[in-house]
Amino acid sequence: MRVAIVGAGVAGLSSAKVLKQFGFDVTVYDRTPDVGGVWSVTRRYPGVTTQNNKGTYAFSDFPMPRDYPEWPTGEQVQKYLAGYADRFGLHPYLRLGTEVTSATQDEGTGNWTVTTREVETGRIDEQQYDRLVIANGIFCDPFIPPYPGAEEYEKAGGRLCAASDFNHLDDAEGRNVLVVGYGKSACDVAEALSEVAASTTVVAREVTWKMPRKLGNVLNYKYILLTRLSEGLFEHIEQRGFGRFLVGRGRFLRDGLLGTVQRVAQRQLLLDRVGLVPEGSFERIVRHAVSLATEQFYEKVLDGTIGVRRGAVISALHEKDGKPVAELSDGEVVPADVVVCATGFRQHVPFLGEEMQDRLTDADGNFELYRQILPLDVPNLYFVGYGSSLFSPLSAEAAALWTANHLLGGTELPSLERRRAFVRTRLKWMVERSEGKPARGTNIIPFSLRQIDEVLDEIDANVGPATRMMQWFLPARPASYRRTTRILLRRHGINGSR
């Protein structure tokens, strides 16, 4: 069976490795010249690091190098993923620098015609595949707001770009920089650029809670947010076990723990002193996405190296006295040689036709995917990596194993009607829980381990009760999941050496 995989980041490489192990003929396409996806050299902005520590941001059978720091840089993560491709012999199956321009399905056979274009040469190719795996990630294309006056601004010498397109620190030297956004990427790039920029200002429409790398400069945040206990503090639509107690009769314990974390983080990050205490309680940290605090960011806000315009947005860009400027929503006009937008991503599948995309999404544009993997109404198509997990490599690996098992006929699914009801109920809950920011149906945080459970339980390949019990108090170790692949290989009578 020939399988095309779109994307050579965490999800695409994991899919290729797993499906190759199970005997499928795979081809991986990516428009960038290297593996890595968001970690590609073409998308790395200054100051980017992992949100996870290296022990949890890893595949089950390929740990991060021991000499890596606790929070690896973007360059180190890319090298790690290139090493993963080396270790499992994936390079012969990679078609890098090759963009998928269209993928169409034959209604009769269900097979896929994949049309590609080589980025350097423009050469067009067309191949036939039995199955298609979409692994282009939930951070697909960066979103840049359509600011009025942008053309005039750029003619005056201003630069407007996404954070992932700002790849060289020297480009900010001696310039007035505005960074739009307040997520991890916004704070990371602002802190890095402030080292060389004439001025650095963060324009933040909303100020959200952050988690220090080490709470109280002692406790690694992995013991707080990367355990089952942390997931149990928040109410799941199908709450169970000790988690049901924590959001019920034991709610006082939950509230006390979250309140303590809030007070320590607020004091440690100097939020009172810099006027950046968010609205609402610390519980809101998981409403949209968990965000790790950038080292030295708040210290630089305190000493004036970085300015933060809280509650503001850019209302227009234009030229004033021959120089590029930005007009803020409060009416102030500020110098802005560079505007870096860390304003999120468009999550879409541009190589699929409009009719096909309509079949994949609901009326609000949210992807309707069973287990974040299987479309309801399109056969022979799978999505891997379509969940905003705190354990991205492990989550992608679980989805790849589920896909391999389904391709081999080993997954007994509920009826289509039940799958449809399940997906729509989960989507409704996701919208409510994320305060209307479901990331097009991919926002599963904070329930990363719960999502992995559900995927692996359905193929009867999850870790045992003892491991899950340990994960209540210790960060989940990806290596604990190595046996899941071996279980499925044995079940299907496949030699795992290939």
Side-chain angles (χ1 to χ4, degrees), residues 232 239-253:
Q239 197 68 277
R240 60 191 183 189
F242 188 56
R244 184 183 293 115
F245 169 77
L246 286 174
V247 298
R249 294 172 59 189
R251 196 176 185 87
F252 69 96
L253 295 174

Side-chain angles (χ1 to χ4, degrees), residues 157-229:
R159 179 181 179 186
L160 173 63
C161 66
S164 57
D165 292 327
F166 198 101
N167 308 130
H168 304 290
L169 187 63
D170 293 345
D171 291 346
E173 187 166 2
R175 311 189 79 187
N176 297 300
V177 177
L178 262 60
V179 178
V180 185
Y182 193 72
K184 183 176 184 296
S185 58
C187 296
D188 281 353
V189 75
E191 193 282 326
L193 298 187
S194 71
E195 292 291 318
V196 300
S199 68
T200 306
T201 303
V202 173
V203 180
R205 178 175 57 184
E206 180 183 14
V207 171
T208 56
W209 286 102
K210 306 278 187 178
M211 171 64 77
R213 288 182 175 182
K214 289 188 176 180
L215 191 67
N217 295 313
V218 175
L219 184 63
N220 192 310
Y221 102 109
K222 65 185 180 182
Y223 294 105
I224 302 172
L225 288 182
L226 299 179
T227 64
R228 289 185 183 273
L229 176 59

Side-chain angles (χ1 to χ4, degrees), residues 27-74:
T27 302
V28 184
Y29 296 102
D30 200 296
R31 61 188 176 190
T32 64
D34 57 355
V35 301
V38 295
W39 305 107
S40 165
V41 67
T42 64
R43 299 186 64 179
R44 279 202 308 266
Y45 54 85
V48 62
T49 63
T50 60
Q51 178 133 286
N52 289 49
N53 68 304
K54 67 177 179 181
T56 55
Y57 195 87
F59 296 108
S60 69
D61 49 7
F62 194 71
M64 284 269 187
R66 290 185 177 181
D67 62 348
Y68 273 22
E70 184 76 346
W71 283 272
T73 66

